[in-house]
Amino acid sequence: CDFETNKNGKKINRETIDNWLPTLINQPLVGRVSKISNTDEFDFTSHNKKVKYVLEDGKLNTKTILDTDAIGTFLSAEVKTIEGKDYITAQALMWGRFENAKSVILNKIANNEPLCSSWELCITDSISSIENGQSVEIINNGYYIGHCLLGRRPVDGTVVNPAYECSRVTDLQVAEEDLDELSQAIDKDRQVIQSEQE
């Protein structure tokens, strides 16, 4: 992402990001693959944010749960200047055993569809500011708990848009030895879909 204000009214402070950007390293790449209703297609969904009620010390409290699966891990994170503008970039390794997720990713790339994503972070220090008459939260400090691949809502197939338009996978490398295994996995997924329809 860049350092502009996102669609959620939040902005990451460029002056402080170097102090907490390394918290992304070793955090999970997450996603949830689901069948899109009334189609034969599978896609990533979203963060799948849910609220759970828990009883703690005799009090009913709410706990936020992000209902996704870890499908990889982040190896590096840095700020890069691309065409004169600073962006937060990161490199993740997707674990090879998640065949459905690999299938969705490669199908999107093959069909020239964007593979959007979204940060998951805990904010520990922020300030409010006014920008163009709107309230903006400027994030001074926090820590990353993951990064989520986005797709479509399973119920109606509507696209889940990232908070940053520029937040997407831009460089995908597939290990050569995985290509045969991957094509077999895609064929297997198609067979499962066909048998479910029958």
Side-chain angles (χ1 to χ4, degrees), residues 36 43-46 108 113-114 116 150-154 156-162:
I36 305 303
D43 201 349
F44 289 104
T45 56
S46 68
K108 282 181 172 287
E113 294 177 32
C116 296
L150 304 176
R152 292 177 285 169
R153 291 180 178 84
D156 59 12
T158 56
V159 173
V160 178
N161 292 310

Side-chain angles (χ1 to χ4, degrees), residues 18 41 56-57 66 88 100 142 158 164 168 179 184 188:
D18 292 331
E41 300 173 39
E56 296 174 327
D57 299 325
L66 301 174
I88 295 173
N100 289 337
T158 56
Y164 293 92
R168 60 190 67 230
L179 291 177
Q184 291 170 7
K188 187 177 179 180

Side-chain angles (χ1 to χ4, degrees), residues 163-188:
Y164 293 92
E165 282 299 321
C166 58
S167 187
R168 60 190 67 230
V169 175
T170 58
D171 182 25
L172 178 67
Q173 298 175 11
V174 180
E176 289 293 326
E177 61 269 18
D178 287 342
L179 291 177
D180 286 337
E181 181 184 325
L182 184 58
S183 63
Q184 291 170 7
I186 292 170
D187 288 341
K188 187 177 179 180

Side-chain angles (χ1 to χ4, degrees), residues 105-175:
I105 289 170
L106 290 181
N107 283 337
K108 282 181 172 287
I109 299 301
N111 294 321
N112 205 25
E113 294 177 32
L115 181 55
C116 296
S117 60
S118 179
W119 297 120
E120 294 182 347
L121 61 94
C122 291
I123 300 168
T124 59
D125 178 31
S126 67
I127 57 171
S128 292
S129 182
I130 301 297
E131 191 176 272
N132 299 324
Q134 301 290 319
S135 179
V136 173
E137 182 180 11
I138 300 171
I139 304 168
N140 292 322
N141 200 0
Y143 56 92
Y144 289 95
I145 58 172
H147 194 75
C148 184
L149 296 176
L150 304 176
R152 292 177 285 169
R153 291 180 178 84
V155 175
D156 59 12
T158 56
V159 173
V160 178
N161 292 310
Y164 293 92
E165 282 299 321
C166 58
S167 187
R168 60 190 67 230
V169 175
T170 58
D171 182 25
L172 178 67
Q173 298 175 11
V174 180

Side-chain angles (χ1 to χ4, degrees), residues 2 6 15 20 33 39 41 44 51 56 73-74 77 79 86-89 103 127 132 140 152 162 172 187 192 195:
D2 57 29
N6 71 18
E15 303 303 316
W20 54 279
V33 174
T39 73
E41 300 173 39
F44 289 104
V51 176
E56 296 174 327
T73 189
F74 278 87
V79 175
D86 285 348
Y87 292 89
I88 295 173
T89 65
S103 165
I127 57 171
N132 299 324
N140 292 322
R152 292 177 285 169
L172 178 67
D187 288 341
V192 169
S195 66

